[in-house]
Amino acid sequence: MKKLILVAIMLLSITTALQAQSIRFGIKGGANFANQYGDDFPDVSKEGITSYHAGLVSEIKLFDSFAIQPELLYSTQGATYKNAVDEFKNELGYLSIPVLAKFYLSESLSLEVGPQASFLLSERNDFDVENAKTFEFAVAGGLGLNITKNLFIQARYGLGLTEVSKEADIKNSTFQLSAGIMF
């Protein structure tokens, strides 16, 4: 009998929580300030590139101060490498899937943190070598600000944890500035 009452209470709690949650969908886009870190090649300097990201975003609000925010983004990342003679640009296009825990610090300000999986879609470089790995794992964190009920801006940093090259210990790092609209 105790087990039956406990199960009933748990089902009631889950049902109440599911009814209280809301799901919203939207679109976002913005600028990437990307670079790569890791092995520094002798006599080669490295500079970041400015690129873009765009895609879909959703917010699954579980509590007043907590939500889960999965996204589906196209994001370009990479760096420019220079030696005494040449300059080489390495630009990688990813389908990125961040799943962020979103902690509301106030009604409009949120802290966002979580993992990000990225799948390589394109590799464009100034040399005839395609040596990027097809999967990248990263952690992302940042802040979001709801300007209105539907409009938002975000600032986020993504730190790659896996190597992007088959031949060198190089990882992506990206600072993103985004704007979007929720429907």
Side-chain angles (χ1 to χ4, degrees):
M1 184 68 172
K2 289 180 185 179
K3 289 181 184 179
L4 182 60
I5 292 172
L6 183 61
V7 169
I9 291 172
M10 288 176 56
L11 287 175
L12 181 62
S13 298
I14 291 170
T15 304
T16 304
L18 289 176
Q19 289 175 349
Q21 85 180 18
S22 66
I23 300 175
R24 296 175 51 189
F25 298 95
I27 57 173
K28 70 180 263 187
N32 283 354
F33 302 97
N35 208 338
Q36 294 178 329
Y37 69 96
D39 278 346
D40 285 329
F41 302 105
D43 304 321
V44 176
S45 67
K46 185 173 28 175
E47 292 181 7
I49 62 171
T50 302
S51 56
Y52 67 93
H53 65 276
L56 305 172
V57 60
S58 65
E59 181 183 82
I60 305 163
K61 198 146 191 187
L62 300 176
F63 304 104
D64 286 339
S65 61
F66 180 74
I68 301 294
Q69 181 172 302
E71 300 175 0
L72 185 64
L73 305 172
Y74 180 79
S75 178
T76 55
Q77 301 174 33
T80 299
Y81 295 88
K82 295 179 184 179
N83 64 18
V85 179
D86 293 317
E87 177 176 303
F88 306 99
K89 185 175 183 180
N90 186 22
E91 188 175 285
L92 306 170
Y94 289 100
L95 176 65
S96 295
I97 307 169
V99 179
L100 305 173
K102 191 171 185 177
F103 301 95
Y104 279 94
L105 306 174
S106 70
E107 284 187 30
S108 59
L109 183 65
S110 61
L111 173 67
E112 304 162 358
V113 63
Q116 174 177 294
S118 297
F119 301 91
L120 184 68
L121 298 178
S122 67
E123 180 177 7
R124 195 170 76 202
N125 50 42
D126 296 333
F127 43 95
D128 293 327
V129 176
E130 293 195 5
N131 65 352
K133 292 185 176 179
T134 58
F135 177 78
E136 181 202 29
F137 184 76
V139 292
L143 295 172
L145 180 66
N146 292 333
I147 299 170
T148 67
K149 182 181 177 189
N150 296 333
L151 296 176
F152 66 90
I153 57 174
Q154 295 173 328
R156 180 181 303 162
Y157 181 73
L159 180 66
L161 300 177
T162 57
E163 297 171 358
V164 299
S165 173
K166 296 175 185 172
E167 298 171 11
D169 179 24
I170 296 174
K171 300 171 184 169
N172 285 321
S173 78
T174 308
F175 179 72
Q176 297 179 327
L177 293 176
S178 309
I181 185 166
M182 298 296 279
F183 303 106

